[in-house]
């Protein structure tokens, strides 16, 4: 590991030990395509929490994490929650899965570049063809949870009729 990684052990990318594993209790998810270009999203092995390490490349001009990035992270968190509820896995076969119909976000605070953004979500309602979900993102500062974003949305279950 580099000195930078050792000095900043909370930076999640420093913990990679083998593909798909980050550290005890966490795994990388959606680590390909567009999601790979912004950085690794991780899910707790219990499946109830997510986290994303931010860096200077994610900063807006004021030093806070870009709000569009936060929306992308929230969409990915809730998509994972929806896939877990509808398919029991994060990699459904082609033509199955779910796609975001709408995602409403309220920015409740700001994350600073370099902080680890954490998140959680839950399915609030499910019909035969759509799933409703809600979730939150936060950071921890001085041992306190600081809300960053609250969201709710609707996902279409692909292949459902």
């Amino acid at each position: 590991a580099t000195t930078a990684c050792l000095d900043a052990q909370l930076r999640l990318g420093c913990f990679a030990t083998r593909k798909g594993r980050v550290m005890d209790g966490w795994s990388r998810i959606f680590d390909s395509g567009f999601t790979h270009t912004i950085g690794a999203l991780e899910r707790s092995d219990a499946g109830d929490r997510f986290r994303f390490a931010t860096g200077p490349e994610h900063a807006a001009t004021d030093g806070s994490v870009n709000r569009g990035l936060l929306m992308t992270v929230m969409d990915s968190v809730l998509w994972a929650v929806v896939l877990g509820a509808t398919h029991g896995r994060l990699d459904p076969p082609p033509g199955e899965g779910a796609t975001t119909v709408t995602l409403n976000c309220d920015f409740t605070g700001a994350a600073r570049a370099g902080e680890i953004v954490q998140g959680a979500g839950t399915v609030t309602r499910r019909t035969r063809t759509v799933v409703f979900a809600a979730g939150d993102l936060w950071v921890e500062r001085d041992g306190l949870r600081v809300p960053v974003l609250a969201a709710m949305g609707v996902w279409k279950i692909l292949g459902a009729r």
Side-chain angles (χ1 to χ4, degrees):
T2 67
T3 302
C5 284
L6 295 173
D7 290 341
Q9 290 186 0
L10 289 179
R11 294 284 300 156
L12 303 179
C14 299
F15 290 109
T17 57
R18 65 181 193 272
K19 185 170 177 54
R21 291 295 310 158
V22 179
M23 63 185 297
D24 288 342
W26 294 88
S27 299
R28 287 186 178 184
I29 61 170
F30 311 137
D31 197 15
S32 64
F34 173 72
T35 309
H36 179 74
T37 65
I38 62 170
L41 179 64
E42 299 171 0
R43 181 176 75 156
S44 67
D45 288 348
D48 60 342
R49 287 193 26 225
F50 299 82
R51 64 185 186 181
F52 182 85
T54 66
E57 68 276 17
H58 302 119
T61 55
D62 65 357
S64 66
V65 174
N66 178 282
R67 290 2 171 250
L69 174 69
L70 292 174
M71 292 173 71
T72 299
V73 170
M74 187 79 260
D75 185 41
S76 296
V77 165
L78 292 178
W79 187 51
V81 168
V82 167
L83 288 178
T86 58
H87 294 80
R89 57 195 260 191
L90 298 181
D91 60 345
E96 295 185 23
T99 189
T100 309
V101 174
T102 185
L103 180 64
N104 299 305
C105 296
D106 295 317
F107 298 101
T108 55
R112 300 177 194 137
E115 290 183 312
I116 295 174
V117 175
Q118 299 183 63
T122 186
V123 169
T124 58
R125 182 173 176 228
R126 180 177 175 183
T127 71
R128 190 173 36 80
T129 58
V130 296
V131 176
F132 298 79
D136 298 289
L137 297 179
W138 67 89
V139 295
E140 295 207 5
R141 287 191 198 125
D142 301 321
L144 299 174
R145 182 185 276 196
V146 178
V148 173
L149 184 147
M152 63 176 126
V154 179
W155 282 259
K156 167 82 171 127
I157 302 171
L158 299 178
R161 302 206 184 274

